[in-house]
Amino acid sequence: MTESTAKQPARRGRIFPERTLPPEELARRKAEQEIFSRRCRAIFERVRPEYIEKNYGWYIAIEPDSGNFFIDEDIEVAHKKALQKYPNAKHCVFCLNEN
């Protein structure tokens, strides 16, 4: 038997190391997401008592910059309503329930 002398090079790390984000950038993005989530949650907590009774289990898409929100029983429809009104803005979707 003959033994193969060619060895595969050890592959370690990411496939695209140049696309790896530095820890500072990851921390900045996480902080921005936390702030965005808190702003959306504040609007949700303010309007939830008014809509939970008649729209229990429905979805509410909130655009925090304007404070507007869109309600529908289908999550995709609520999402599309928000995108239609604010195509370039981020929004957050919650379910109207006690949780």
Side-chain angles (χ1 to χ4, degrees):
M1 279 187 144
T2 61
E3 289 187 30
S4 175
T5 58
K7 283 189 161 184
Q8 288 286 337
R11 294 184 184 212
R12 295 187 178 141
R14 296 181 52 99
I15 295 173
F16 300 107
E18 65 277 1
R19 290 187 166 184
T20 302
L21 295 174
E24 299 82 25
E25 177 66 15
L26 292 173
R28 185 189 64 78
R29 289 183 182 191
K30 184 176 181 178
E32 285 179 358
Q33 182 61 37
E34 289 280 330
I35 292 167
F36 178 78
S37 296
R38 275 191 245 124
R39 290 174 54 213
C40 291
R41 174 67 68 178
I43 295 169
F44 176 67
E45 293 299 335
R46 181 173 42 94
V47 300
R48 180 172 63 169
E50 182 180 343
Y51 292 98
I52 195 169
E53 198 65 38
K54 58 185 170 189
N55 299 317
Y56 186 83
W58 287 32
Y59 297 92
I60 180 170
I62 299 172
E63 198 284 312
D65 293 331
S66 66
N68 289 338
F69 52 91
F70 308 91
I71 298 175
D72 199 275
E73 52 185 332
D74 183 5
I75 190 171
E76 292 296 324
V77 175
H79 172 69
K80 286 179 183 177
K81 285 179 182 179
L83 284 177
Q84 187 176 18
K85 177 81 176 188
Y86 302 101
N88 297 322
K90 283 177 58 175
H91 64 274
C92 194
V93 180
F94 296 95
C95 184
L96 283 166
N97 58 29
E98 63 276 345
N99 295 333

